[in-house]
Amino acid sequence: MTAVHRLLRNLLAGLLALVLLFEEWGWEPLAALVARMARLRPWAWTEGQITRLPPWAAVLVFVAPVLALLPVKLAALYFIGSGHPVLGLLVLLAAKVVGTALLARLFSLTEPALMRLPWFARWYPNWKTWKDGQIGQLRKSGFWSALTQMRARVKARWVLWRRQFR
């Protein structure tokens, strides 16, 4: 394996690790945050309609946020390319957070319908097993240990900062 090939492979693995890390740490809390919106009557009604969708309609609803956020992500790339990298990265990060929140909630609402599709019922457990294996390897790494320690420090500082204002 050439040095360039190794470098590209490691870079891709690092990017994948960051995406999986964000999904791992963000999926549940963001889904819970969006679920709180179900206290609002129109939102609750919409969620009720989504849970009653047939399988293929559930696929369309699940994919809709990905397609809707594509122009936002392209705008972020435009900002980066036109000399506004901070703005571009902020827009990209916001799109990732909003997209993850919506997908997490929509998945919890559409999973029963999606699991009625034979290809999805066959594909999803394989994806979950692969993802859990990747996260397991990531958790054993020094990178994960350093990030976990950093996360604990940030959380502790956040708690101290919030106590100042109570």
Side-chain angles (χ1 to χ4, degrees):
M1 182 181 297
T2 68
V4 172
H5 187 243
R6 261 193 316 273
L7 176 69
L8 290 174
R9 184 175 176 205
N10 288 338
L11 181 62
L12 184 61
L15 289 173
L16 178 62
L18 287 173
V19 169
L20 288 175
L21 175 70
F22 180 78
E23 299 284 331
E24 178 76 5
W25 282 351
W27 190 267
E28 297 287 328
L30 290 171
L33 181 67
V34 175
R36 286 188 204 137
M37 293 178 68
R39 295 180 198 153
L40 303 171
R41 203 172 259 193
W43 195 273
W45 180 86
T46 302
E47 284 193 355
Q49 297 301 311
I50 290 170
T51 60
R52 290 189 281 282
L53 289 173
W56 282 103
V59 170
L60 292 175
V61 166
F62 186 65
V63 171
V66 174
L67 297 176
L69 287 171
L70 185 59
V72 175
K73 291 178 181 181
L74 291 174
L77 291 176
Y78 171 78
F79 291 138
I80 292 168
S82 62
H84 303 284
V86 174
L87 177 61
L89 289 174
L90 288 174
V91 169
L92 198 57
L93 182 61
K96 182 64 179 159
V97 169
V98 169
T100 299
L102 290 174
L103 283 177
R105 183 62 183 156
L106 285 173
F107 185 74
S108 68
L109 297 172
T110 60
E111 184 179 10
L114 293 172
M115 293 304 276
R116 292 195 314 252
L117 295 168
W119 63 268
F120 190 86
R122 195 172 42 252
W123 169 84
Y124 180 68
N126 292 336
W127 157 254
K128 187 93 170 97
T129 300
W130 178 83
K131 185 186 89 152
D132 291 345
Q134 295 299 312
I135 289 174
Q137 286 182 345
L138 184 59
R139 283 186 173 145
K140 293 175 188 174
S141 71
F143 174 73
W144 180 270
S145 178
L147 279 176
T148 303
Q149 290 170 9
M150 183 179 75
R151 181 181 182 207
R153 285 192 305 270
V154 167
K155 188 176 181 178
R157 287 182 184 150
W158 174 255
V159 169
L160 289 174
W161 183 78
R162 286 194 58 190
R163 283 185 188 158
Q164 290 176 349
F165 297 101
R166 287 188 184 178

